[in-house]
Amino acid sequence: MGSSRSMLFFINLAIIILNLVAPTIAQDDGMCTEKAEYCWKCSNTGTYTAGDKYQENLSSLLSSFSSNTQNNSGFYNSSRGQDSNKVNAIALCRGDLSQDSCQACLNKSTDILLQNCSTQKEAIIWAEPCMVRY
Ligand SMILES: *[C@@H]1O[C@H](CO)[C@@H](O)[C@H](O)[C@H]1NC(C)=O
Ligand SMILES: *[C@@H]1O[C@H](CO)[C@@H](O)[C@H](O)[C@H]1NC(C)=O
Ligand SMILES: *[C@@H]1O[C@H](CO)[C@@H](O)[C@H](O)[C@H]1NC(C)=O
Ligand SMILES: *[C@@H]1O[C@H](CO)[C@@H](O)[C@H](O)[C@H]1NC(C)=O
Ligand SMILES: *[C@@H]1O[C@H](CO)[C@@H](O)[C@H](O)[C@H]1NC(C)=O
């Protein structure tokens, strides 16, 4: 009796500990890659569909960030389109990053967002070297 009780206690303790550790992967307020190099959140403020103008403007705006070779400040703030198809996006790289590392982080981050938030009009991603929001 006593030993099955203490067994139950340890099982419960294990469940509690697992619940405390697990949320680093999936939290109510976002998702992270396995080692949490990238964490993102898709907002449910509106959706777009594949092939519509919003998507075209969004992907062209984001690839202008990650292929940009002029602005080496590491800060991007730009818009595309009109009315309900208007996309606003900002991106920021850590100040000490080279242009190449900044572009690489923006490229990876925007790929993750476009795949994982593939219908949401609003999304944000944080990585240690950069962040992107639209
Ligand atoms: C990221 O880079 C790859 C390879 O160069 C390219 O195919 C992809 O379109 C880029 N993604 C963005 C969002 O620019
Ligand atoms: C780069 O900087 C110029 C001048 O500040 C700005 O007009 C342009 O929109 C920027 N491009 C991007 C992709 O942010
Ligand atoms: C981005 O640009 C828009 C339009 O110029 C401006 O209203 C907004 O405050 C800017 N955002 C940031 C974070 O600088
Ligand atoms: C937004 O996307 C539409 C549809 O592709 C295109 O006609 C329009 O030129 C885009 N706007 C900008 C500012 O790129
Ligand atoms: C998020 O996107 C990446 C690729 O950019 C993909 O490998 C990963 O499986 C996606 N994660 C989820 C939860 O969909």
Side-chain angles (χ1 to χ4, degrees):
M1 190 69 179
S3 79
S4 78
R5 238 188 226 178
S6 60
M7 182 82 121
L8 259 185
F9 173 78
F10 282 113
I11 290 171
N12 282 333
L13 191 65
I15 289 170
I16 289 167
I17 289 171
L18 276 179
N19 280 330
L20 289 176
V21 172
T24 56
I25 307 297
Q27 292 175 322
D28 285 348
D29 60 349
M31 292 289 293
C32 291
T33 53
E34 208 171 321
K35 291 177 182 163
E37 304 103 319
Y38 297 90
C39 292
W40 66 92
K41 182 175 161 63
C42 316
S43 296
N44 49 11
T45 50
T47 58
Y48 65 88
T49 48
D52 72 9
K53 286 192 173 188
Y54 188 90
Q55 191 208 23
E56 286 181 30
N57 290 322
L58 177 63
S59 57
S60 90
L61 182 54
L62 293 180
S63 59
S64 81
F65 284 0
S66 59
S67 63
N68 174 284
T69 50
Q70 276 100 55
N71 301 21
N72 49 15
S73 66
F75 176 64
Y76 303 89
N77 178 11
S78 196
S79 302
R80 283 261 197 298
Q82 296 85 34
D83 307 320
S84 67
N85 296 315
K86 182 165 183 177
V87 185
N88 304 304
I90 57 172
L92 182 67
C93 283
R94 221 177 55 208
D96 62 332
L97 286 193
S98 68
Q99 180 83 5
D100 280 356
S101 309
C102 177
Q103 300 312 327
C105 184
L106 296 181
N107 180 288
K108 175 78 177 161
S109 299
T110 53
D111 277 353
I112 290 176
L113 277 187
L114 292 174
Q115 280 191 28
N116 295 288
C117 306
S118 60
T119 61
Q120 289 94 343
K121 285 187 159 185
E122 263 187 63
I124 183 165
I125 185 164
W126 301 268
E128 193 261 330
C130 77
M131 65 81 66
V132 177
R133 176 178 199 171
Y134 54 79

